[in-house]
Amino acid sequence: MINVIKTEIPGVVIIEPKIFGDERGYFFESWSQKDFDEQVRPIKFVQDNESKSSYGVLRGLHFQKGKYAQSKLVRVVKGRVLDVAVDIRKNSPTFGKYVSVELTEDNHRQFFIPRGFAHGFVVLSETAVFQYKCDNLYAPQEEGALAWDDPEIGIDWGVPADKVILSAKDKEHPTLKASTELFDYNIDYYAK
């Protein structure tokens, strides 16, 4: 059983599991195909990934283009992160807007990012272990990304800029305005 929390951007949702706890600890279902299909959208995840990062590591804002677009269902199993989804669908009423959510090992929340969005996260704790499901296989030749610090998007990452740790690649991404690799709101990227 899950509780689905809608955000300001349709399709981007926060998921809270029903947690059963007692003096021994806790139990919850971290994934149910049936619940997800009925309450969020029908989907078939094909790949699970995990990363471990230290405080200030920022990964993003990433996406895959065209027919390689990915939905992601993300969660934290250790530590705390700020997770962000940015609408990069031209002609969308929420184009350039973002939703952020704090995911922690204690709140057990998950965040669903549909196709057509850039995704990134920053680690707020000493370390964090981050897991995510993808509904399309990774295609390195179809990577796209945006600048994490694009002033027009204006994400408050919750970490001082001088403490942000980026990969060499993540230091070089274009702003949303300069990007030529965006999605179109009028195309269904889930259509086969």
Side-chain angles (χ1 to χ4, degrees):
M1 298 192 65
I2 57 175
N3 177 35
V4 177
I5 302 166
K6 294 180 179 179
T7 68
E8 311 83 63
I9 301 178
V12 178
V13 297
I14 300 163
I15 298 168
E16 292 180 333
K18 177 146 178 67
I19 299 170
F20 303 91
D22 60 25
E23 66 280 351
R24 298 168 299 161
Y26 67 83
F27 169 86
F28 70 93
E29 246 179 34
S30 62
W31 169 248
S32 165
Q33 185 77 57
K34 178 181 177 294
D35 287 350
F36 198 89
D37 287 355
E38 289 174 0
Q39 296 181 55
V40 180
R41 71 165 301 123
I43 202 155
K44 179 183 174 192
F45 289 116
V46 297
Q47 183 175 326
D48 279 10
N49 302 311
E50 181 173 299
S51 67
K52 180 179 179 183
S53 306
S54 57
Y55 174 79
V57 168
L58 193 151
R59 299 179 186 264
L61 295 159
H62 303 147
F63 59 94
Q64 289 202 161
K65 300 175 273 182
K67 69 178 185 175
Y68 298 96
Q70 291 180 323
S71 298
K72 294 178 181 174
L73 179 63
V74 303
R75 71 186 187 120
V76 168
V77 295
K78 179 174 174 33
R80 189 166 64 99
V81 309
L82 183 74
D83 202 86
V84 176
V86 180
D87 187 348
I88 58 170
R89 301 168 299 167
K90 294 179 287 189
N91 305 310
S92 164
T94 55
F95 178 74
K97 305 285 187 219
Y98 73 92
V99 174
S100 64
V101 62
E102 191 171 300
L103 305 175
T104 74
E105 66 184 283
D106 295 322
N107 70 20
H108 305 289
R109 284 180 157 189
Q110 297 181 47
F111 192 39
F112 178 67
I113 301 102
R115 295 177 179 187
F117 288 75
H119 170 253
F121 70 91
V122 67
V123 177
L124 303 174
S125 52
E126 185 177 336
T127 61
V129 176
F130 186 83
Q131 293 182 339
Y132 56 106
K133 296 180 169 303
C134 300
D135 72 340
N136 210 347
L137 297 174
Y138 173 64
Q141 73 280 9
E142 296 299 327
E143 284 183 330
L146 297 176
W148 68 278
D149 59 350
D150 184 334
E152 287 195 38
I153 299 172
I155 298 168
D156 177 1
W157 289 99
V159 171
D162 64 337
K163 301 288 186 200
V164 169
I165 301 166
L166 300 165
S167 69
K169 200 158 54 167
D170 282 348
K171 292 178 182 176
E172 305 298 325
H173 300 311
T175 62
L176 182 60
K177 187 181 278 186
S179 182
T180 58
E181 305 173 325
L182 302 176
F183 293 85
D184 185 327
Y185 182 70
N186 298 309
I187 295 175
D188 179 359
Y189 291 93
Y190 289 97
K192 299 284 181 199

